[in-house]
Amino acid sequence: MTRLLPAAEPMPDAADLVADFVISDLGNAVPVPAAVLIALVKRGMGYNVLYTERATALRKHSGQVAFPGGRIDPEDQDAAYAALREANEEVALHRDDADVLGYMPYYYTGTNYFITPVVAIVDPRAPFVPNPGEVDDVFEVPLETLIDENSYSTFRAVFRGKERQSWQIDHNGHRIWGITANLTRRFRDSVLTGPSNGS
């Protein structure tokens, strides 16, 4: 995993941020720091990547597939601490079971979130358990599936008269699209199959 960054990227000036999809004019709103955990879960001789299906009762992005994660709170030490804290709250992932490998470049969303993807190896001591207040389901996708180019298609939706596109992955009845699919594809292209740093 030498293609990962050794530290999270600092947030640039808001004027220099370009969103993945512009939903509306955010004005002078300060970007919200957030972190997600791309967990490589040890299973037998290989690895799976951990995903959650957000609870349908949530106000934002209900029912969508996401990586464990959320806002970075002021008391969080860094992005890795926040991602692991959220993973513990959402699916009972124990912090001591995770070995952080590094970080991916930030991802800025049209909803004004500045996301730092944190990549970690996870050797779970117990099954993951969804927190019913936040997560309806937790599932894993084999790393080999995510490496396979044929696992990806294009998701299209019209929002406020404009077409939005993202990557899409369908796996065992789960549809991964939007930010989560785009981050998965970035992980595939830049970390799993791309050239290493310095090459």
Side-chain angles (χ1 to χ4, degrees):
M1 296 293 178
T2 57
R3 304 176 184 97
L4 293 169
L5 303 174
E9 289 184 320
M11 186 185 298
D13 291 338
D16 295 329
L17 290 169
V18 179
D20 61 341
F21 181 82
V22 178
I23 293 178
S24 61
D25 183 8
L26 298 172
N28 296 320
V30 177
V32 179
V36 297
L37 182 67
I38 301 179
L40 305 177
V41 184
K42 287 185 178 181
R43 297 296 186 196
M45 298 297 292
Y47 293 92
N48 294 343
V49 175
L50 180 67
Y51 293 90
T52 69
E53 185 176 302
R54 290 170 57 83
T56 54
L58 293 174
R59 288 187 302 134
K60 295 182 178 180
H61 308 293
S62 62
Q64 293 183 13
V65 171
F67 290 115
R71 293 188 182 209
I72 299 177
D73 292 338
E75 58 269 25
D76 290 329
Q77 299 170 11
D78 52 24
Y81 186 96
L84 292 171
R85 172 183 56 75
E86 288 282 350
N88 177 259
E89 293 173 4
E90 293 177 4
V91 299
L93 187 155
H94 291 269
R95 181 183 302 274
D96 292 342
D97 295 348
D99 179 19
V100 174
L101 301 178
Y103 305 82
M104 287 173 54
Y106 71 81
Y107 188 103
Y108 181 56
T109 75
T111 51
N112 205 32
Y113 281 84
F114 181 90
I115 299 174
T116 297
V118 180
V119 181
I121 295 286
V122 175
D123 189 2
R125 68 184 68 184
F128 300 121
V129 180
N131 177 344
E134 299 185 51
V135 174
D136 279 349
D137 194 13
V138 57
F139 66 98
E140 301 173 20
V141 180
L143 205 57
E144 293 80 4
T145 299
L146 300 179
I147 291 173
D148 186 356
E149 176 75 29
N150 295 319
S151 298
Y152 296 83
S153 59
T154 302
F155 178 89
R156 291 181 172 87
V158 177
F159 184 81
R160 295 182 180 174
K162 294 183 179 180
E163 184 179 85
R164 178 181 183 180
Q165 295 187 25
S166 76
W167 290 106
Q168 175 178 306
I169 308 153
D170 290 301
H171 181 75
N172 288 347
H174 295 282
R175 174 158 294 175
I176 308 168
W177 63 279
I179 294 166
T180 305
N182 289 344
L183 281 174
T184 300
R185 181 67 187 216
R186 283 190 183 188
F187 179 61
R188 175 204 181 270
D189 291 348
S190 65
V191 179
L192 299 179
T193 64
S196 61
N197 289 340
S199 63

